[in-house]
Amino acid sequence: MSDDEPDPELLELLRKSLGLGAKDPSAPPDTKVLQHAEFIYNNSIDVALDMRSTKRAAIAVWEAMQQQSYSTKTWSKHELHPKSKDESTVNFIFTMDLLNFSFWSERSQEERFAVDYKGKKWTGYWSLVAALQRALDEEIQITTPSFWANEEECTEEVLRNVFRSATDEEIPLFSERVACLREAGQIIEEEFDNSVITLVEDAKSSAAGLVNILADRFPCFRDEHIFEKRKVRILKRAQIFVADLWAAFEGEGYGEFNDMDKITIFADYRIPQILHSLGCLIYCPPLESRIRRLDPLESGHSWEIQLRGCSIWSVELLRREILREHPEAKINASLIDFFLYDLMKEKERDGDEEIPHHRTRSIWY
């Protein structure tokens, strides 16, 4: 080989370092969410991380989780979450996370969308879970994919009844939820033998693999955006489906995954809110002012991507700090996310919110 000819081995190493070239089929699945979150953090100028506060938050979060004996069992303890460990629960969770987005309202607590179920009025995320449970009690096959694809049986009128409100406000983005159900029903029918179980089993017990299947095959799960001229993956609902399965089945059966550590937190509007309250996230004055004024933030806006990406990276650093202090801890981002979400909802109930959550209306969260 002459001095003018390129070195093929060196070129191959360069391609791999840049993420170019053909993928290694034997390589374990990777969602790329964490590395994209790090890229967002490294290029963020409007959202920053406070490392000292992150260390303090890690101590506080770990101690609180220990005091509450917080674990996967906590998920099933809620009265609305399914208790059985069978196919019906897999279908319920898939339906739940297919529609797990955009519950915030500009109306008061008394006027916002709510679901009456078993003598209680449910709002926010729990309004969706209550609506699904109520529909099943009324013998509507709302968690059956073939039902969603059948527009003669699963009419818009039937779905409006499923998501009927106890107030004058209907569920946000109703048309988009219908579209998600139709799309997913058709894809499961055509590509997964009409079975969510087949979809889950195709991942071969890989959490990252299942996330990638959802993102690659279902457009409504493809939570990807452009930030600084680069495509970044956040994949909130795809990841939370895996985490909910893992929690509901306590890491066994349909919830057994050999790489749960590859799942990040589920970047929505509550996690940045609690991280800011804990001092982990800092906002530039224009962004903070916009959030406090309750002004909407467009989906895909640079500020919104920074909020979500920096939240993922912040919790990753928090997780690492917990493991640095407690190497024996059985902790992952999913469990931390569940805990932080519950903590933020407690603050909301107690009227102890230090800052409102940002308001973005989209199907991604």
Side-chain angles (χ1 to χ4, degrees):
M1 183 175 68
S2 71
D3 292 342
D4 295 332
E5 293 178 347
D7 184 330
E9 292 184 2
L10 185 59
L11 280 175
E12 183 61 25
L13 284 172
L14 181 60
R15 288 193 185 98
K16 288 182 178 179
S17 69
L18 295 174
L20 303 175
K23 294 180 180 179
D24 181 357
S26 63
D30 188 353
T31 68
K32 305 295 185 185
V33 172
L34 188 59
Q35 74 178 61
H36 289 181
E38 184 178 16
F39 170 79
I40 293 169
Y41 162 70
N42 286 335
N43 290 275
S44 290
I45 59 175
D46 304 298
V47 180
L49 271 58
D50 185 303
M51 298 306 176
R52 288 186 178 180
S53 294
T54 298
K55 288 179 178 292
R56 287 195 294 267
I59 295 171
V61 166
W62 175 247
E63 288 179 351
M65 292 178 77
Q66 293 300 103
Q67 289 170 4
Q68 298 178 27
S69 300
Y70 204 88
S71 69
T72 54
K73 296 181 185 296
T74 306
W75 192 95
S76 296
K77 286 179 180 177
H78 194 281
E79 60 186 289
L80 289 182
H81 277 157
K83 304 296 183 289
S84 62
K85 300 188 186 305
D86 54 23
E87 183 175 359
S88 68
T89 291
V90 176
N91 287 341
F92 189 99
I93 293 172
F94 184 82
T95 310
M96 183 177 75
D97 288 326
L98 181 63
L99 305 175
N100 187 355
F101 55 83
S102 199
F103 300 107
W104 60 271
S105 174
E106 295 178 342
R107 302 192 186 187
S108 68
Q109 187 68 18
E110 293 73 28
E111 298 175 324
R112 67 182 296 185
F113 170 75
V115 169
D116 276 333
Y117 182 60
K118 290 191 173 180
K120 292 185 180 180
K121 185 177 288 187
W122 303 93
T123 60
Y125 159 76
W126 295 113
S127 66
L128 169 65
V129 188
L132 296 180
Q133 294 286 18
R134 181 178 65 184
L136 292 175
D137 289 352
E138 295 170 353
E139 299 185 352
I140 300 172
Q141 300 175 34
I142 192 57
T143 61
T144 303
S146 59
F147 176 68
W148 313 331
N150 186 339
E151 296 190 36
E152 292 184 2
E153 290 186 16
C154 184
T155 64
E156 183 173 310
E157 182 180 1
V158 168
L159 291 174
R160 285 195 181 279
N161 180 57
V162 168
F163 298 111
R164 65 187 182 273
S165 178
T167 70
D168 291 335
E169 182 179 36
E170 74 169 17
I171 190 169
L173 300 182
F174 172 77
S175 297
E176 286 81 355
R177 294 178 200 276
V178 173
C180 286
L181 286 170
R182 302 279 192 229
E183 175 187 280
Q186 183 176 353
I187 293 171
I188 291 173
E189 185 176 58
E190 295 176 354
E191 300 186 29
F192 298 99
D193 300 326
N194 226 1
S195 170
V196 179
I197 294 296
T198 300
L199 186 158
V200 172
E201 290 177 342
D202 279 1
K204 298 179 173 57
S205 297
S206 169
L210 183 50
V211 169
N212 287 341
I213 289 173
L214 291 172
D216 295 342
R217 309 284 275 278
F218 295 80
C220 63
F221 277 105
R222 200 170 298 146
D223 183 7
E224 300 174 342
H225 309 274
I226 301 298
F227 178 73
E228 294 296 314
K229 300 180 180 180
R230 174 174 166 179
K231 184 173 75 173
V232 292
R233 307 181 101 199
I234 298 180
L235 305 182
K236 183 263 186 179
R237 289 190 295 109
Q239 291 199 106
I240 203 171
F241 171 60
V242 173
D244 282 342
L245 277 182
W246 171 73
F249 288 88
E250 298 181 37
E252 299 179 351
Y254 296 122
E256 182 179 358
F257 298 103
N258 54 36
D259 56 354
M260 274 302 294
D261 59 322
K262 290 185 178 179
I263 301 301
T264 72
I265 60 137
F266 326 118
D268 59 6
Y269 43 83
R270 288 300 186 184
I271 297 302
Q273 183 186 23
I274 187 62
L275 289 173
H276 184 279
S277 299
L278 292 171
C280 301
L281 289 189
I282 304 169
Y283 305 156
C284 70
L287 172 56
E288 181 160 344
S289 176
R290 187 160 178 172
I291 291 173
R292 290 189 182 280
R293 292 197 311 266
L294 308 182
D295 289 345
L297 197 57
E298 181 184 353
S299 179
H301 190 286
S302 176
W303 281 350
E304 188 229 7
I305 302 303
Q306 290 179 61
L307 283 167
R308 301 181 74 199
C310 288
S311 293
I312 293 171
W313 192 245
S314 175
V315 173
E316 172 61 16
L317 297 183
L318 190 151
R319 182 190 70 85
R320 292 179 185 181
E321 181 64 19
I322 290 175
L323 289 175
R324 190 179 71 82
E325 293 293 329
H326 305 279
E328 77 289 353
K330 294 182 179 179
I331 193 86
N332 58 33
S334 299
L335 202 58
I336 294 173
D337 183 287
F338 290 149
F339 176 80
L340 291 176
Y341 179 87
D342 289 347
L343 179 61
M344 191 63 248
K345 294 302 288 183
E346 286 177 17
K347 286 180 173 289
E348 181 187 37
R349 283 193 298 269
D350 296 340
D352 192 25
E353 292 177 289
E354 296 178 18
I355 189 172
H357 63 74
H358 71 279
R359 280 158 165 74
T360 297
R361 189 71 78 189
S362 79
I363 71 167
W364 307 121
Y365 61 99

